[in-house]
Amino acid sequence: MKKQLIAHCIHHTHWDPYWYFTAQEAEVVFAFDVRRMLQAFRRSEVDNFFLDGQTAALDEYLQFHPEDKEEISVLVQSDNLEIGPFVSQLDPFISSTESVVNNLRLGIQNGSRLGKSSMIAYLSDPFGVSYSFPKIFNQFGIKEFVFTRGLGDIYQSKNDFYLESNDGSVILCHTLLAGYGYGTYGFLKGDLLDGNARDYNLLNVTDLINRLVSRSSLENEFVFPVGFDQNPIVLDLKKRIEKYNHSQSEIEFVHTTWKDYFKHVRKKGKNLVTLKTELTSPQFHRLHLSGMNSARSDIKSTIHKAECSLTFESQPVMSILSSMGLKFDHGLIDQNWYDLVNCQTHASATHGDVTNEKMRQQASEVLSRSNAITNHLTRLTCLSVEDDQREGSDLLVFHTLPWESTKTLKITVISKQPNFSIWDEGLECTYSLLSTERIYGGTLRLDPNLMNENLWFYRSEVVVNLGYFYGFSYKTLKVVDEPAPPKSQSDHSTKGMAIHNTKYEVGLKNDGIYLRIREGMEISQFLKFEDMGDAGDSYDYSPPADNQDWTLISAFEDADIQSVYQSDLYASMVLKGNLCLPQNSVEREAGERSVQSEYQLKLELFHDEDLIRISGFFDNQSEDHRLRLIVKSLGTNNKSFAGIPFGVIARAVENPEKRDWREKAFFEEPSNSKPLLNYVYSKTENGDLGVLTGGSKEYEFTGSDYIDIAITVFRAIGAVGLPDLQRRPGRPSGLSNVIIHAPAHQMKGRNNFNFAIMVGSDISENAIDRSFAEYSIRPIYYQNQRLDTLIEPIHYFPIHPFLKRLPRKYSLLTLKDFAGSYSTLTVSKLTNRILLRLYNASDKSTPEFVLGGQGIGFCIEKTNIGELVNEVSSIKQGGMEIGEVRTLAFLSEGKGDL
């Protein structure tokens, strides 16, 4: 007799390599689970197992057990064991563009080493879905996607649907609306269908099945995942399915795979809609967008800096030199990306303190290694350029962006005399002297009389106009000692309460910091600190009970001006102050403040730059609170515009689902807080204002008419999971029956922050994207001098120059009239061709641009990220279509090996 329903059983596990347990504990358990899995396959106890869409855990297993590689490869090649395409379960909103790309690239690569990678994108537990996923997945040949969280009634969709990015890329999606293991424990216990089985949220499994059936695109069919967090293989799955099928007449359980399921949907699915948006509804699952992105902001900032270092510095520098003959070191670059994406789990930095410390250390190691690559290669290049026989020491500077630029940088110069000049061939460079320190370069002695007077030198910090650079280039300048200050040194003054450049004036008045835009508009109380109580945990911000919060505001009106510097090239103002805060939630509730927290705020303006650079620290000594920096925009807002991978998305400042979330029994209150990937900007009738992040990962539009942009500096909370929050009723997130105390989440001590602000009449998507790239790059330079060998620790190492002399200046390629956005420059591991990745962040096509340079070959190929399709072309120009991602592959002119 034909049964009423069909359950498509997917045999899987959701494996967290780390969480509240340590990575070492996970490695040990997984090692024994894999050995038991192999045994089960040998005995034909199981036919198929889906290993959570990632390779990280299996990669680690094979490091310890290389002898099992052949047996695992056989299972992978035969589709019995499905792995990849990701390295790890990424965070969908705060993993950078290149992090997502390399997570997939390395996951597919590692899967292919074992025979093949699954080409179904699978994120069993992401906290929402990015609008950019279709265009990224399609670039790798991926057409199908499985995920859990983010779909709600607001999208009016079945569980199966299409998701389309703005470039027209499409993926077929299935959402695990009831979760990835809602019935597993009932299935294993044998009481799945007795009407009393409950999932991990204590919801009735029968009700969940009915909901899935009602929303299925397949009539009377639904997906039934068999597996759950950290679960081993189900040894007797076939027998259990057979038993269920013989013991009842309602549901036919069918063992299948995701590949076969999607084939079935494409053939028989009905009423599949196409969505063109990100998915962020917490109706059926918690998303934690109100606080997860600002938990352990120190770790997130380190990850952000490591992403920028790899994307915009070490990878492009190595690529430029590869065009001259240097062998691109894929081993170093790939290991960096591999380690980094393993720090970006789907719930970034919400772990316990021990696991978070591993994430912090690993991200720090990636950042240090990437910076070391850049510093070492810059030094090697400087030591290898041709000697021009001119007086002075060589100063080599890299430009790692594809467009032309006039660079004004803050750098450190070493000189024998206190005065010096900097020369770009026959042109003397203008610079502003910020500070000078006299340093002894010999062996230090207690008795100064034993120290050689000839070994003293000067270390000077300057801001220098280095002149014009072509795209992806370097040039070598000269530093020359002078008997007196050169005419090129820009005069400066240190008087006044304000600083300015050609675009902005920023200063301090009695009511706080103001911004005057050179067109005439002035914004008072432009920046503020906002401190609020936080009764939440590492997953969610939550206001104190009954919303009885005490919000403390500082407009910096009481801050002391520590220094003001103004010159033609550069200006800075440093403010210091103290914010008196409650010690903890008890004091806050009582309206008491007993703790003085010191802060510093530094404002910087470079000549003719669109950015106001803001950096500083807040020395936190309080608990249970949230600190945000408030930036006042130029008018009323109903939308924010935020960067996402390969694009920009418009988001409503007021979440429309907030109105009736309790009546509809949402899992948590929909949040107005949003993830901050790289930048966010406001568009008003009075003008536009953007905030570029140097590491903070959360924003919210607040205040009257949503005029204020609040950037979370840090959240200070003490637990991973807490029950019954104001915004999140019910069980704790994380483990449902345990509260994991995490004192390090209180963020005691100095918390650093970095932002930049740009103001304009009409900020475009691609313009702010390019500004973010420029803002994110450290000055990349090296001075070939022998006075100060320890200016960077890596300079301690004696090294050989390259085998051949290099030209004193060089440009790999330049994009002229380029109005798009830039992702990165790298070298293909498959073809050894140089890859330039560009994209159009706009919903409008861009004008034509021209590609040229010293190091570029004539034959250019348009390819995709996965290098699956090549379109050979000799044309070095062209505009970009709406939302287009374009990877150009080309042969360089470089010959031989450096």
Side-chain angles (χ1 to χ4, degrees), residues 864-880:
N864 51 25
I865 298 172
E867 298 184 76
L868 304 173
V869 177
N870 291 331
E871 176 188 334
V872 180
S873 172
S874 61
I875 300 174
K876 297 185 179 180
Q877 61 186 18
M880 300 183 72

Side-chain angles (χ1 to χ4, degrees), residues 631-651:
V631 182
K632 186 184 292 186
S633 75
L634 276 61
T636 300
N637 294 284
N638 55 33
K639 289 182 180 180
S640 67
F641 300 85
I644 57 176
F646 293 130
V648 171
I649 193 163
R651 295 164 171 157

Side-chain angles (χ1 to χ4, degrees), residues 433-723:
L433 181 65
L434 304 183
S435 63
T436 298
E437 180 183 8
R438 189 170 185 250
I439 298 173
Y440 186 64
T443 302
L444 297 175
R445 303 296 298 271
L446 283 176
D447 184 354
N449 293 321
L450 299 176
M451 296 164 64
N452 188 337
E453 181 65 24
N454 293 325
L455 297 180
W456 289 91
F457 65 89
Y458 293 85
R459 183 185 293 170
S460 301
E461 186 178 24
V462 302
V463 173
V464 55
N465 183 345
L466 294 163
Y468 180 84
F469 284 76
Y470 291 101
F472 292 130
S473 64
Y474 70 78
K475 69 178 178 181
T476 312
L477 301 95
K478 282 286 189 182
V479 176
V480 180
D481 282 306
E482 299 286 356
K487 296 179 181 179
S488 62
Q489 183 174 321
S490 174
D491 293 333
H492 70 275
S493 63
T494 56
K495 297 179 181 180
M497 305 281 285
I499 57 175
H500 66 268
N501 66 0
T502 58
K503 299 182 181 297
Y504 308 114
E505 178 180 301
V506 185
L508 185 65
K509 293 184 177 181
N510 291 335
D511 63 346
I513 296 172
Y514 71 90
L515 168 66
R516 182 174 296 130
I517 305 166
R518 302 304 274 183
E519 287 79 7
M521 177 181 289
E522 181 171 309
I523 306 172
S524 61
Q525 294 194 335
F526 173 56
L527 300 174
K528 293 183 288 188
F529 271 148
E530 173 201 75
D531 191 78
M532 311 174 72
D534 193 339
D537 54 24
S538 68
Y539 291 98
D540 284 289
Y541 161 78
S542 190
D546 301 321
N547 291 308
Q548 297 300 310
D549 192 20
W550 186 19
T551 301
L552 300 168
I553 301 292
S554 169
F556 306 106
E557 67 274 22
D558 297 326
D560 295 324
I561 296 180
Q562 298 294 298
S563 66
V564 176
Y565 183 97
Q566 180 69 59
S567 74
D568 294 338
L569 292 178
Y570 170 80
S572 68
M573 174 183 286
V574 177
L575 307 177
K576 272 195 174 182
N578 286 282
L579 191 58
C580 191
L581 299 177
Q583 171 67 51
N584 49 35
S585 57
V586 176
E587 276 198 5
R588 186 176 291 271
E589 187 175 349
E592 299 173 355
R593 295 189 285 178
S594 66
V595 176
Q596 292 285 345
S597 293
E598 181 187 14
Y599 67 80
Q600 177 176 292
L601 191 72
K602 185 174 186 178
L603 308 170
E604 296 178 282
L605 300 174
F606 285 82
H607 171 73
D608 208 29
E609 187 179 54
D610 289 335
L611 302 180
I612 305 164
R613 296 172 183 253
I614 301 170
S615 60
F617 67 81
F618 190 94
D619 191 4
N620 179 48
Q621 301 301 323
S622 300
E623 298 180 349
D624 311 325
H625 67 118
R626 177 179 71 176
L627 184 78
R628 302 199 291 188
L629 182 71
I630 308 296
V631 182
K632 186 184 292 186
S633 75
L634 276 61
T636 300
N637 294 284
N638 55 33
K639 289 182 180 180
S640 67
F641 300 85
I644 57 176
F646 293 130
V648 171
I649 193 163
R651 295 164 171 157
V653 297
E654 177 70 27
N655 194 315
E657 291 186 298
K658 287 174 71 73
R659 289 187 286 268
D660 53 0
W661 71 277
R662 289 190 184 276
E663 292 83 349
K664 290 185 176 180
F666 276 33
F667 271 66
E668 67 182 12
E669 180 185 4
S671 177
N672 288 345
S673 295
K674 303 294 190 295
L676 177 57
L677 176 65
N678 43 21
Y679 54 81
V680 59
Y681 60 101
S682 155
K683 299 187 77 67
T684 74
E685 60 182 10
N686 299 320
D688 302 349
L689 182 145
V691 180
L692 290 67
T693 181
S696 298
K697 291 296 178 180
E698 180 183 87
Y699 77 89
E700 180 183 2
F701 277 54
T702 64
S704 175
D705 295 324
Y706 297 103
I707 195 172
D708 294 328
I709 306 174
I711 309 295
T712 306
V713 177
F714 65 85
R715 293 178 58 232
I717 40 85
V720 173
L722 294 172

Side-chain angles (χ1 to χ4, degrees), residues 97 130-132 135 166 278 640-651 677-681 683 699 763-769 821 839-843 883:
T97 304
S130 172
Y131 178 42
S132 297
K135 69 167 70 175
N166 66 338
E278 62 184 4
S640 67
F641 300 85
I644 57 176
F646 293 130
V648 171
I649 193 163
R651 295 164 171 157
L677 176 65
N678 43 21
Y679 54 81
V680 59
Y681 60 101
K683 299 187 77 67
Y699 77 89
I763 295 176
S764 72
E765 300 93 335
N766 288 310
I768 193 170
D769 224 314
S821 295
Y839 61 99
N840 179 11
S842 173
D843 284 336

Side-chain angles (χ1 to χ4, degrees), residues 13-15 25-41 49 51 57-58 61 65 68 81 228-235:
T13 188
H14 171 50
W15 192 265
E25 288 170 327
E27 286 172 352
V28 169
V29 175
F30 190 74
F32 284 92
D33 282 354
V34 170
R35 289 167 64 183
R36 189 65 182 88
M37 177 191 73
L38 296 176
Q39 188 181 63
F41 274 119
F49 193 60
L51 195 52
L58 194 59
Y61 175 84
H65 307 89
D68 289 338
L81 177 63
F228 198 60
D229 290 1
Q230 317 307 116
N231 272 212
I233 199 163
V234 179
L235 298 174

Side-chain angles (χ1 to χ4, degrees), residues 713-786:
V713 177
F714 65 85
R715 293 178 58 232
I717 40 85
V720 173
L722 294 172
D724 302 310
L725 300 180
Q726 285 281 95
R727 298 190 55 263
R728 196 188 70 209
R731 68 172 181 86
S733 283
L735 293 180
S736 61
N737 58 339
V738 175
I739 294 175
I740 302 171
H741 296 285
H745 276 276
Q746 291 286 6
M747 302 295 290
K748 292 289 185 68
R750 182 171 291 198
N751 292 270
N752 299 311
F753 53 86
N754 296 273
F755 306 101
I757 295 170
M758 65 184 301
V759 182
S761 58
D762 185 16
I763 295 176
S764 72
E765 300 93 335
N766 288 310
I768 193 170
D769 224 314
R770 293 194 301 272
S771 291
F772 174 76
E774 292 172 344
Y775 169 64
S776 300
I777 299 172
R778 301 173 306 140
I780 304 173
Y781 68 97
Y782 179 78
Q783 182 186 354
N784 186 11
Q785 48 77 34
R786 298 182 181 179

Side-chain angles (χ1 to χ4, degrees), residues 182 245 319 328 333 381 475 483 487 543 584 787 890:
Y182 64 91
N245 286 338
S319 300
F328 191 92
I333 296 296
T381 306
K475 69 178 178 181
K487 296 179 181 179
N584 49 35
L787 298 170
F890 54 88

